[in-house]
Amino acid sequence: MRTGLHHMSKHLESPCDKLADYNDWKVIMLNTLKYQIYIVSPEYNFIWANQAFGAAIGLPLSQLKGKKCYQVLHNADKPPEMCLLYKMFKDNEFRLMETEIELSGKTFHLSATPVLDDQGGLEKVIHILTDITERKRAEEAILFFRNQMEAVAKIGVTVNSTLDISEVLSHILTGTLEVTGASVGMVFLKDKETGCLEWGASHGLSEEFIQVYRDQVIKPGEGLSGRIAQTG
């Protein structure tokens, strides 16, 4: 029994906790994460990246090592102003920094954590990219819906506060353009008896262009507007 315990104790104290083994396990764990992680030197050179990052940019770690991060990520020949490592040097402050960036048509939350040496100098910076594309789309959809409701409310206030049809149409058009993000537009009034369209309001168009529609009506089926009015 003593021999067994002694053997077990020796086994527990054996070099199975070596730094190399620990690093191997650390790499394995980081490679299982869905987050894109990469580490760069103070000179902006890639030191390490996990598999998720390599897959996202289409380059393995072996091809990333030694490359400048701003060349790979931003296709630039120098660090851009929004680079968090650049900001650390500019502010002379090595602390956690965060921002949002656009890469390959997606939106990411980027955090940069500096790692300092024993003398307080910058040794490396750990970057973590989190895909927040869907969250941003949801936020934009909510903002779009809110803007729609505000535009409708403004139109309602205008309708209830004036009998001037020109003013009402102008507010309706302005609200519609705000909601849709358009910069130009025109509103026509349809004559119930003839089906013809008459100019009502416009925005962002030249006076010369508008005058043509002020001077004449659009008959049913005439031009794009006439066809839309005819077919609905």
Side-chain angles (χ1 to χ4, degrees):
M1 177 67 79
R2 287 182 181 177
T3 304
L5 287 174
H6 180 66
H7 174 74
M8 184 180 295
S9 176
K10 286 184 67 177
H11 177 72
L12 290 173
E13 293 171 3
S14 66
C16 63
D17 247 348
K18 293 185 301 181
L19 183 60
D21 294 339
Y22 172 75
N23 282 337
D24 288 344
W25 277 106
K26 182 167 63 175
V27 168
I28 291 172
M29 289 191 332
L30 291 175
N31 277 330
T32 61
L33 298 176
K34 64 179 180 179
Y35 307 109
Q36 299 178 33
I37 303 172
Y38 63 96
I39 304 173
V40 299
S41 70
E43 295 74 36
Y44 302 92
N45 294 323
F46 280 104
I47 297 174
W48 185 86
N50 70 345
Q51 290 178 354
F53 180 78
I57 64 173
L59 287 175
L61 177 59
S62 59
Q63 294 184 35
L64 280 174
K65 280 185 176 179
K67 288 185 180 294
K68 302 293 184 183
C69 57
Y70 52 79
Q71 293 175 335
V72 174
L73 293 173
H74 306 290
N75 194 30
D77 56 4
K78 63 180 181 179
E81 289 286 333
M82 50 81 65
C83 172
L84 297 183
L85 177 53
Y86 174 82
K87 288 182 178 180
M88 289 182 191
F89 283 123
K90 184 179 179 181
D91 299 343
N92 195 28
E93 187 176 8
F94 300 125
R95 58 177 178 81
L96 170 67
M97 290 189 175
E98 299 173 290
T99 189
E100 289 184 6
I101 62 172
E102 297 288 333
L103 291 173
S104 303
K106 292 186 176 182
T107 306
F108 292 88
H109 172 269
L110 173 63
S111 68
T113 305
V115 178
L116 307 181
D117 58 26
D118 295 337
Q119 286 72 44
L122 183 63
E123 182 178 299
K124 54 194 171 186
V125 180
I126 302 171
H127 295 75
I128 301 178
L129 284 165
T130 306
D131 189 345
I132 58 171
T133 306
E134 293 305 317
R135 191 190 81 188
K136 293 295 291 185
R137 287 175 180 169
E139 290 174 352
E140 289 171 359
I142 292 172
L143 181 61
F144 178 77
F145 179 75
R146 189 187 72 182
N147 289 341
Q148 282 184 315
M149 295 301 99
E150 289 179 353
V152 171
K154 288 179 182 178
I155 292 170
V157 171
T158 302
V159 171
N160 290 325
S161 62
T162 181
L163 296 177
D164 185 345
I165 186 63
S166 297
E167 188 176 347
V168 172
L169 291 177
S170 179
H171 277 79
I172 290 175
L173 178 57
T174 300
T176 302
L177 294 177
E178 287 178 357
V179 169
T180 59
S183 58
V184 297
M186 192 151 48
V187 175
F188 292 97
L189 298 175
K190 184 177 181 180
D191 189 299
K192 290 184 178 180
E193 295 182 0
T194 64
C196 293
L197 299 178
E198 296 181 2
W199 177 88
S202 57
H203 181 83
L205 298 168
S206 69
E207 185 64 28
E208 182 181 2
F209 181 85
I210 297 169
Q211 194 60 47
V212 175
Y213 293 95
R214 282 182 175 151
D215 294 341
Q216 62 185 22
V217 298
I218 299 176
K219 298 177 181 179
E222 185 178 70
L224 178 60
S225 300
R227 289 196 297 271
I228 293 174
Q230 187 178 47
T231 60

